[in-house]
C-alpha cells in the first residue's frame, strides 16, 4: 500500500514538479491536490498552467482541486502525509494546522529557523530529524513539520559538508539563480531579458542563516549553529532551471586540490546507504572540464538530484574556490522534499 499524500500549492512550480516526481514513486502517491481559493473546485488541468516538458499525467489532470485547509483536504481523501509548496507568507498557520495530525514536509521558509523544526538535507544532517520528537512533545502534535532549505542553500550546504573535514572558517558565495526559482509567472520578462538582476528578496539572509543551522550540531534537544562566517550575494539570471554558485572557502588547513576533489566525489550519506528511492548514486559529481558545470548541460545529472561541481582550484585570497550547480526545482525543491519524506518514513516518523 502506497502512502497517500496531499500537495498544498499543487498548481505552482514546485507543486507541479512534485506531481511529476510522484508519478512513479514506489512508496507515495497523490491523494489530493490543493491550492488557493482561485483554483479550488476546478479540475487540475483547467486551473494549472503546466510548465514542465513531460505531459501532465491524465488521471491527475482530472482531479478536482480543493482549498489548502484540513477540512477541505480531509473531505477529499484520507491522507497519510502532506507536502507543502505554499508561498511563505501563508504557509505558517496552514502547516501548523495540518501538523496537529499529519507529517508535513515543507518547502516554504515559514518554519525553517524555528528551534524545534528540523531543516534537513538528508545526506548532510539526517540526525536533526530527531527534532521531530522534541517538537511533538513541546507542541503536543500527532504529526510534525519538517522543512527543506531554500533552493540555493541546499547545493551550498551539501558541498560544504565534505569540506568540514578540512575545518571550515569562512565562506563567500555569489549565486546566479534560475527564473523558475521565483515561482510562476515569476520575474517579468521585460525585467530579465538581456539582463541580470542583482537582488532576490531575503535570499542572502536565507543562505547565510540556514547553512549555519544545517551544518550545526544536534545535542538531542536543540541544534547549535556552526561557527562559520558566511557571506552571500544573489543574482537572478535569464536561465529557466539550474542555479549556479561561485563559492570561495577559507579552511584552517590547506589540502591539495586532489584531496578536495576526492572529498567531494566520495561524499555519501544515509540516503545512499539506505538506498532511498530518490537518492542519487553520487550526491556530488566533479567535472574536470574548465567550462563546466553549465545549467543547460548539467542540471539533470543524477535525475536532477546530483550537485555538479567544477573548477576546483586554490584561491589566492582564501583557500579554495569552486563552482556548483543544481536543478533548483528538483534537488532544490520537489526532489529534496521527497528525499526528506523517504528518510522520515525509513526512520519511522511517518
Ligand atoms: P508558485 O509557482 O508561485 O506557486 C504557488 C502555489 O501556492 C500555487 O499552487 C498557488 O495556487 C498556491 N497559493 C498561492 N496563494 C495561496 C493561498 N492564499 N492559499 C493557498 N494556496 C495559495 O511558487 P513555487 O515556486 O512553486 O514555490 C512554492 C514554495 O516553495 C514557496 O514557499 C517557495 O519559496 C518555495 N521554494 C520554491 C523553489 C523553486 O525553485 N521555485 C525552490 C525552493 C523553495 P493558485 O494557482 O491557486 O494561485
Amino acid at each position: 500500500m502506497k502512502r497517500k499524500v496531499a500537495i498544498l500549492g499543487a498548481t505552482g512550480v514546485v507543486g507541479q514538479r512534485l506531481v511529476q516526481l510522484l508519478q512513479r514513486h514506489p512508496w507515495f502517491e497523490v491523494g489530493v491536490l490543493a491550492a488557493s481559493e482561485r483554483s479550488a473546485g476546478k479540475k487540475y488541468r483547467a486551473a494549472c498552467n503546466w510548465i514542465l516538458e513531460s505531459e501532465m499525467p491524465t488521471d491527475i489532470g482530472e482531479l478536482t482541486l480543493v482549498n489548502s485547509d484540513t477540512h477541505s483536504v480531509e473531505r477529499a481523501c484520507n491522507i497519510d502525509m502532506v507536502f507543502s509548496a505554499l508561498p511563505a507568507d501563508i504557509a505558517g498557520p496552514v502547516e501548523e494546522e495540518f501538523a496537529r495530525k499529519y507529517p508535513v514536509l515543507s518547502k516554504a521558509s515559514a518554519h525553517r529557523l524555528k528551534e524545534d523544526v528540523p531543516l534537513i538535507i538528508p545526506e548532510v544532517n539526517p540526525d536533526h530529524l530527531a527534532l521531530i520528537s522534541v517538537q511533538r512533545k513541546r507542541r503536543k502534535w500527532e504529526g510534525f513539520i519538517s522543512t527543506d532549505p531554500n533552493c540555493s542553500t541546499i547545493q551550498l550546504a551539501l558541498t560544504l559538508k565534505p569540506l568540514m573535514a578540512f575545518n571550515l572558517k569562512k565562506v563567500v558565495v555569489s549565486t546566479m539563480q534560475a527564473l523558475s526559482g521565483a515561482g510562476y509567472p515569476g520575474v517579468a520578462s521585460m525585467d530579465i531579458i538581456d539582463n541580470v538582476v542583482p537582488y532576490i528578496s531575503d535570499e542572502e539572509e536565507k543562505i547565510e542563516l540556514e547553512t549555519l543551522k544545517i551544518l550545526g550540531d544536534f545535542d538531542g534537544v536543540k541544534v547549535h549553529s556552526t561557527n562559520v562566517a558566511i557571506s552571500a550575494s544573489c543574482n537572478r539570471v535569464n536561465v529557466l532551471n539550474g542555479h549556479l554558485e561561485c563559492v570561495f572557502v577559507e579552511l584552517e588547513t590547506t589540502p591539495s586540490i586532489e584531496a578536495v576533489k576526492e572529498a567531494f566525489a566520495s561524499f555519501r550519506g544515509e540516503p545512499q546507504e539506505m538506498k532511498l528511492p530518490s537518492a542519487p548514486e553520487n550526491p556530488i559529481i566533479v567535472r574536470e572540464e574548465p567550462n563546466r558545470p553549465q545549467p543547460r548541460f548539467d542540471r539533470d545529472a543524477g535525475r536532477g538530484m546530483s550537485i555538479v561541481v567544477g573548477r576546483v582550484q586554490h584561491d589566492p585570497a582564501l583557500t579554495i574556490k569552486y563552482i556548483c550547480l543544481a536543478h533548483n526545482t528538483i534537488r532544490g525543491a520537489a526532489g529534496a522534499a521527497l528525499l526528506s519524506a523517504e528518510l522520515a518514513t525509513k526512520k519511522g516518523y511517518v
Side-chain angles (χ1 to χ4, degrees), residues 216-323:
D217 290 323
F218 178 55
D219 68 4
V221 181
K222 64 181 283 197
V223 173
H224 301 271
S225 290
T226 193
N227 185 21
V228 174
I230 301 183
S231 169
S233 67
C234 296
N235 305 279
R236 185 73 69 195
V237 297
N238 196 2
V239 165
L240 201 52
N241 293 307
H243 291 349
L244 195 71
E245 299 184 355
C246 305
V247 188
F248 306 80
V249 179
E250 184 175 322
L251 303 166
E252 262 175 39
T253 56
T254 308
S256 69
I257 291 305
E258 284 316 310
V260 173
K261 287 181 184 170
E262 174 57 22
F264 282 140
S266 62
F267 178 66
R268 302 284 185 276
E270 286 189 19
Q272 285 71 36
E273 285 163 26
M274 293 175 172
K275 298 194 186 313
L276 298 180
S278 301
E281 200 176 316
N282 302 300
I284 303 175
I285 294 171
V286 178
R287 304 278 316 205
E288 296 293 345
E289 304 90 321
N291 61 352
R292 299 289 279 273
Q294 296 182 19
R296 193 142 52 89
F297 300 125
D298 295 309
R299 61 191 166 208
D300 292 324
R303 294 173 293 143
M305 288 296 285
S306 294
I307 316 285
V308 183
V309 164
R311 309 213 55 221
V312 185
Q313 301 168 72
H314 276 126
D315 182 59
L318 299 178
T319 313
I320 61 148
K321 56 184 174 182
Y322 59 94
I323 315 286

Side-chain angles (χ1 to χ4, degrees), residues 179-217:
L179 295 170
S180 58
Y184 187 83
V187 189
S189 56
M190 296 260 294
D191 290 341
I192 198 69
I193 290 175
D194 187 29
N195 211 5
V196 171
V197 180
Y199 173 67
I200 303 175
S201 174
D202 297 333
E203 196 79 359
E204 290 158 1
E205 294 79 359
K206 284 179 189 167
I207 294 181
E208 291 166 3
L209 294 172
E210 291 176 14
T211 307
L212 297 180
K213 179 171 176 178
I214 296 159
L215 298 179
D217 290 323

